[in-house]
């Protein structure tokens, strides 16, 4: 899309209210998604780490307490008169080696024999969580508030001769645990923040890349272009087929499918099929190979002649596919004939202009020669002729279009020295529907043109074309006859065939064929008869009440 088209879409296709651009929208959406994902992950990991660390510390405390409870010296010390003097020196090095916050050893009455604070030895243990170990002999992990604060503790009973004699409590303060968790969490959140930042930067690059692939268009513009393209493709009269780099069909509009359906009854859709499978004679693979365009090439599809254009598709100087457009050549020929009819109108007007120009120069010459009487007489004569024609046509043919073509043909015949006569009694006052009138104009233009051409082959004195028309009765009838050479009876049917002509030269044989098609479309017909003037006489009829 060029700059002009892009500006046009911004001005006329986008709504005036402010909208978030696609690039910013993608950055926000991707950034938000990444942030939510990693925030959720961070919260989960935070609680997971917290639980894991607490569990690991509890298991470590329980493991240390178990090891201490199995020390023989510790078990035997409970039988000593002063167990604290043996147990305190025994567990002190173990506490320092394991990094435990405290190791407390007590008897069955929960009296301390070991404690990090030697002044608290001999006092009762705090926490009230020793009963499962002392009574039931369980080893477990608990959380309780002791003399040093809230802590995670591993509790293990001490046995001597298969009898519980005390309990070992190894603990880590919750504050230290939370500090450790906070350290890990801070590192975790820093890494997550870094990942989110990189994700947002990646979102910016992704949005920029996608925006570039979309040629800077917004979704609303893309939607409009897609609908516009689809409408154009389906409404165009030319068949369009596009293929990718591998020669697979990626697009085929209605006109193309119609032609393919005519030739391939079982074909549902050619999309995704190789072009050679659908149209074996197609030259699109050659275009994909050479990258060269083909214009106005004839191609035959099931006996139908089409004109084909083939153009390669390039993106960033790389060949990515090709497009072929084709149209039925017969339709182009019909269009040519319509242009020929228009040319007939122009020729008629040109003839009238030329005839008037000759008359004006004649009048000018007479005036320069000071022959005023002759000039006035000439003017009156010509004026009378023109006025008679115009007055007659206005009275007998109120329709301005039919009036105009008859007047134009009268002037054209006069310029070419052919006497054209509209016979007395001719009239056409019945109001014609517009489409039917256009079809009648096509027929009249072609028939009178042919009659003038045929009459020109005679000497000047015998060049004549007679036209008669009437709307009396149920049909509108026109008779056009000429003094030409006529048409042999054995050609009476062939002259209405496309491409057939009794005249020499290219691009002939379409006038009468188009005339008959137009009349049949109007519900009428055309007949060939012998002319009283010696040439051909064509009779055309159009019913007044026919449906078109």
């Amino acid at each position: 899309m060029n700059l002009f088209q892009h500006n046009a879409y911004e001005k006329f296709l986008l709504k005036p209210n402010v909208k978030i651009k696609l690039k910013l929208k993608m950055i926000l959406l991707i950034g938000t998604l990444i942030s939510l994902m990693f925030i959720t992950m961070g919260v989960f990991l935070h609680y997971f780490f917290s639980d894991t660390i607490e569990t690991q510390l509890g298991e470590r405390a329980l493991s240390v307490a178990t090891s201490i409870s199995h020390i023989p010296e510790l078990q035997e010390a409970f039988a000593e008169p002063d167990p604290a003097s043996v147990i305190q020196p025994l567990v002190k090095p173990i506490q320092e080696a394991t990094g435990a916050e405290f190791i407390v050893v007590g008897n069955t009455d929960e009296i301390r024999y070991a404690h990090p604070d030697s002044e608290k030895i001999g006092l009762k243990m705090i926490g009230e969580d020793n009963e499962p170990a002392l009574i039931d002999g369980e080893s477990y992990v608990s959380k309780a508030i002791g003399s040093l604060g809230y802590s995670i503790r591993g509790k293990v009973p001490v046995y001597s001769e298969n009898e519980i004699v005390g309990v070992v409590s190894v603990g880590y303060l919750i504050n230290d645990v939370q500090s450790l968790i906070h350290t890990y969490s801070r590192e975790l959140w820093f890494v997550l923040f870094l990942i989110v930042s990189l994700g947002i930067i990646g979102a910016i690059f992704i949005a920029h890349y996608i925006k570039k692939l979309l040629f800077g268009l917004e979704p609303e513009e893309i939607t409009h272009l897609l609908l516009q393209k689809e409408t154009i493709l389906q409404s165009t009269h030319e068949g369009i087929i596009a293929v990718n780099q591998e020669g697979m069909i990626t697009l085929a509009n209605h006109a193309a499918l119609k032609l393919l359906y005519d030739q391939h009854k079982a074909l549902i859709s050619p999309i995704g099929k190789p072009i050679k499978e659908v149209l074996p004679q197609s030259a699109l693979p050659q275009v994909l190979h050479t990258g060269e365009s083909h214009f106005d090439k004839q191609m035959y599809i099931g006996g139908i002649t089409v004109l084909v254009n083939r153009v390669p598709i390039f993106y960033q100087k790389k060949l990515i596919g090709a497009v072929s457009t084709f149209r039925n050549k017969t339709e182009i020929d019909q269009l040519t004939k319509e242009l020929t009819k228009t040319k007939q109108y122009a020729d008629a007007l040109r003839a009238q202009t030329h005839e008037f120009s000759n008359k004006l120069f004649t009048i000018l010459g007479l005036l320069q020669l000071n022959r005023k009487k002759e000039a006035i007489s000439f003017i009156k004569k010509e004026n009378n002729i023109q006025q008679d024609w115009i007055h007659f046509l206005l009275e007998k043919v109120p329709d301005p279009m039919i009036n105009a073509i008859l007047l134009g043909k009268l002037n054209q015949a006069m310029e070419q020295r052919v006497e054209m006569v509209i016979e007395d009694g001719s009239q056409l006052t019945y109001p014609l529907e517009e489409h039917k009138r256009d079809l009648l104009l096509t027929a009249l233009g072609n028939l009178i043109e042919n009659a003038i051409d045929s009459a020109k082959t005679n000497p000047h004195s015998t060049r004549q074309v007679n036209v008669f028309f009437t709307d009396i009765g149920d049909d509108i009838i026109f008779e056009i006859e000429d003094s030409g050479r006529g048409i042999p009876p054995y050609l009476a049917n062939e002259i209405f065939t496309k491409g057939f002509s009794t005249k020499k030269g290219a691009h002939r044989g379409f006038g009468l064929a188009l005339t008959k098609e137009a009349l049949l479309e109007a519900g009428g017909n055309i007949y060939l008869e012998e002319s009283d003037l010696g040439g051909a006489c064509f009779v055309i009829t159009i019913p007044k009440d026919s449906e078109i």
Side-chain angles (χ1 to χ4, degrees), residues 303-317:
I304 298 176
T305 304
V306 295
L307 290 180
V308 184
N309 295 323
R310 307 180 188 97
V311 180
I313 304 173
F314 289 95
Y315 177 67
Q316 295 182 350
K317 298 182 179 180

Side-chain angles (χ1 to χ4, degrees), residues 20 44 49 98 116 135 171 176 222 236 245 280 300 305 309 320 328 331 343 365 394 468 498 503:
I20 300 178
F44 169 76
F49 285 159
T98 59
I135 297 175
D176 294 339
I222 295 172
T236 185
Q245 194 173 9
Y300 297 94
T305 304
N309 295 323
I320 62 172
N328 194 325
E331 296 177 354
K343 182 176 179 297
L394 288 176
F468 172 78
K498 284 184 181 178
K503 302 174 185 177

Side-chain angles (χ1 to χ4, degrees), residues 361-430:
F361 280 116
T362 301
I363 295 170
L364 177 62
L366 290 172
L367 292 175
Q368 289 176 338
L369 294 172
N370 201 23
R371 308 293 292 269
K372 295 181 180 180
K373 290 183 179 181
E374 287 83 350
I376 293 172
S377 176
F378 182 79
I379 292 172
K380 287 181 178 181
K381 175 186 174 183
E382 294 300 326
N383 181 62
N384 290 337
I385 294 174
Q386 292 292 330
Q387 288 300 320
D388 288 343
W389 286 353
I390 294 172
H391 178 74
F392 174 81
L393 291 174
L394 288 176
E395 179 182 354
K396 301 297 183 180
V397 188
D399 189 291
M401 297 298 292
I402 298 177
N403 194 322
I405 194 170
L406 290 173
L407 184 60
K409 291 301 180 182
L410 283 167
N411 284 284
Q412 181 183 357
M414 183 180 293
E415 182 188 22
Q416 298 185 27
R417 298 297 183 265
V418 174
E419 181 183 2
M420 178 175 167
V421 177
I422 298 178
E423 297 183 6
D424 294 337
S426 297
Q427 68 172 31
L428 181 56
T429 57
Y430 181 82

